[in-house]
Amino acid sequence: MELHSRTPSGPIEQAWDKARFEMKLVNPANKRKHNIIVVGSGLAGASAAASLGELGYGVQCFCFQDSPRRAHSIAAQGGINAAKNYPNDGDSVYRLFYDTVKGGDFRSREANVYRLAQISVSIIDQCVAQGVPFAREYGGTLANRSFGGAQVSRTFYARGQTGQQLLLGAYQALERQIDAGRVAMFPRTEMLDLIVIDGRARGIVARNLVTGQITTYLGDAVVLATGGYGNVYYLSTNAKGSNATAIWRAYKRGALFANPCFTQIHPTCIPVSGDYQSKLTLMSESLRNDGRIWVPKTKGDKRPPNQIPAEDRDYYLERRYPSFGNLVPRDVASRNAKNVCDEGRGVGPGGLGVYLDFADAIRRLGEKVIRERYGNLFDMYERITDENPYKVPMRIYPAIHYTMGGLWVDYQLMSTIPGLFVGGEANFSDHGANRLGASALMQGLSDGYFILPYTIGNYLADNKLNSVEESSSEIRGAVAGVENNIQKLLSINGKRTVDSFHRELGKVVWEYCGMARTAAGLKHAIERIRELREEFWQDVNVPGSDADLNQSLERAGRVADFFELAELMCIDGLHRNESCGGHFREEHQTPEGEALRDDEHFSYVAAWEYRGPGNPPELQKEPLAFEYVHPSQRSYK
Amino acid sequence: MRLILRIWRQKNRNTKGKFARYEVNDVNPDMSMLECLDVLNEDLARRGKEPVAFEHDCREGICGSCGFMINGVAHGPLSGTTVCQLTMRHFKDGEELILEPWRARAFPLVKDLAVDRNAFDRIIAAGGYISISTGSAPDGNAIPVSKERADAAMDAAQCIGCGACVAACPNASASLFTGAKITHLGLLPQGQPERDLRAVRMVTQMNLEQFGQCTNIGECVAVCPKLIPIEVIGRMNHDYIAGSMREPEAGEA
């Protein structure tokens, strides 16, 4: 299969204008005759569904949660970037583009990133108009702050709940379309397969999670905005329900999966406290603006933090990266935390933690200012750990947070299956091998509000779609496949619970395909994952029935897919014989321990094609060209 | 520590429910209430019994999925906290906890501790938004908002839609929820053109959903995990009355 990115030719500044001008348009009177299926109701899904509804299309929107407002975008804390340059500190569309390409360690598509930076400014306008209560200056203008990986203040925020406010804005826009009758919402409904007819995406098979009913929904285009796959690791900052089933089923129907090994470990999470732990809690990276990260200089220094004098502390990020200091990108901050812990200088139970200390900031700015900036985060930290971060430094440790990999899409955000579009974290498009802070919200809303509504129209206008027979063999086959899978899971009646398998899988992936990877480790992980998967299909126990709300059954189906995806992540990580961004192969590092890219051999997107059960996936490459931002060794020193 | 949990078990809304008694040993004080239920559910699943159904997702107190009554208090004893962030150190060894779903006519039961809160979505759909279609917005800084006003709007906008306010209210009123959205949008200049109509339509929908009336008891505020202030109900009433006079037809749903 050949990959066509459909990137417009000519100057990058005009690429998006050119692409939009070349798009075919759907006559306004014909829009309502098209039904578009949107799976997922987070920032990308809700904004796409609402915007498509506003344009007059018929839209069906699906989410597994009880309400579209619960989607996990809601948990994003820190902020959203935009090249507004309101603070007059030298920001521009070009600088945001440059920072994002560099931050992604030169593994993203330049034209997509440029478009993202261009659209960023419209997103802020849109959200303000919706009533998103962004932080304000006393004069009434929008406030900005700086964020990890950037030296300008371009991050807009609503306290530590930016994701919540942006999602509620998109959710309200969606509810407005529901009220207008243009969007039909299907909550508690999980997509379990993609319907592909004559090579085109024409619908989904979905299960009503309350009644167990399996239903097919047909349309002229399908949008997957179902988020990332960080829950492969079991312990992550994702919501418990976040899963990869929709994108994985699409992969098995022919959509290529790009860069699955590009996962992001967030540097500032609350450390693991026990075996019962069900998830990891993120502490917004905005804390690094005022908090200073340190560990004791000497191994095994067990003194309480406030009794360790300054000369015995190692502010290792400030020492190693004087110009960026505590604001280095996430991959660099995470790896350095791992290194100091590996040296035995970690703090807290198990030695897996570093201090994030606000004492200096409180001395400089006063407790009131710190409370205003981070109050809700400090409260959350205290609720979880029973420690008061105004008095004692926070303890933090890296955790899986975001997945840059995802379904491959072209410039129009269409996958390799015509008619299947992918938005937000579910696609691979804009962040390369590492995402900068406050960029996920930007990308989700850029895709949903400002890109998909155009590109889907272009697809519909450009292709004549035949009507689909409900009784076609493709549909009957997809439904039967879903039903068989459910019956199989319920009939194994083994001895182990779904969660016990998931935890074990997560440990393997974290150990061998987490912050640092080696060829030997990845090979071992692939073997181990296969063994575990086999055991899962022989010994899992899924209690209950398929005819009512059965949360064990939901999890079982998702974990079954995680097993397969985990293997693909390791295969991808093993093939990529270089380090870049979040993908750190120990064999490939600079003398200072930084990621060492191999641009000669790996400057491409690795897109994997499913070749049937038991067969190895086939690698397809989309070469990456950097005409504007020339690849260099990233330096934050 | 060890806990005794008496949990409401009900297969669906058509069957009768009852309390079941469980003992959970090895409770770690740092666990959340939901992780304690995870431990119980793992044990039930290992023994081939059906786990307790409960809503949860982010487990960071922001998605609003989780919530049930603990000893008659929505979200349990800790103020400003959802059950996913309620750690077990707030309970005593050997304590008995009674866990029940939100009980309100407008929140029909789904299973065990899970209820259907889509009535909230319908209240938002009735007018809990600013009608601005994608692409038609002016520059962000073209609409100045004073810091005080933006902060007050944010205080109201924090609502997570968990439903604790309804569960705690003896009248099962959704006034705190509805008032929070009316206040958030009504405080902002962007929200002014639709302010009257919004209040009338949302309140009308709230009544249609069979939520009870507010009688200023204040239980809602006491259990709200985001500490939404009771003033939002006053603002709702104000905007509703003003709106009813100015938009007489709007209330007829």
Side-chain angles (χ1 to χ4, degrees), chain A residues 51 54 66-67 84 86 125 128 131 161 171-172 179 188 240-241 278-279 384 497 548-549 551, chain B residues 11 35 42 54-55 57-60 89 111 118 121 134 139-141 155 158 181 184 190 201:
Chain A
S51 303
E54 289 163 7
D66 70 322
S67 159
K84 283 284 198 186
Y86 286 154
D125 300 341
V128 168
Q161 291 136 280
Y171 157 77
Q172 287 163 203
D179 189 50
R188 295 191 197 270
K240 293 296 286 176
S278 62
K279 77 155 281 159
I384 293 172
T497 62
D548 64 0
L549 183 70
Q551 293 167 322
Chain B
K11 196 169 172 51
E35 285 169 338
E42 278 291 280
F54 63 92
E55 299 274 15
D57 204 18
C58 76
R59 298 202 177 193
E60 293 180 19
R89 68 181 85 98
K111 186 176 183 176
N118 290 128
D121 296 320
T134 304
D139 183 83
N141 267 347
D155 287 340
Q158 292 191 77
K181 188 49 65 188
H184 158 210
Q190 305 93 300
R201 289 194 65 197

Side-chain angles (χ1 to χ4, degrees), chain A residues 29-97:
Chain A
N30 286 339
K31 282 183 178 150
R32 66 186 160 79
K33 295 178 190 156
H34 292 287
N35 186 44
I36 299 164
I37 288 169
V38 178
V39 186
S41 66
L43 285 180
S47 60
S51 303
L52 288 162
E54 289 163 7
L55 287 171
Y57 294 105
V59 180
Q60 291 177 312
C61 183
F62 298 81
C63 68
F64 70 81
Q65 298 92 339
D66 70 322
S67 159
R69 67 178 292 151
R70 314 272 187 227
H72 192 54
S73 306
I74 203 152
Q77 297 170 353
I80 176 166
N81 285 333
K84 283 284 198 186
N85 193 32
Y86 286 154
N88 197 29
D89 56 359
D91 201 11
S92 63
V93 167
Y94 201 92
R95 188 178 291 280
L96 175 53
F97 157 67

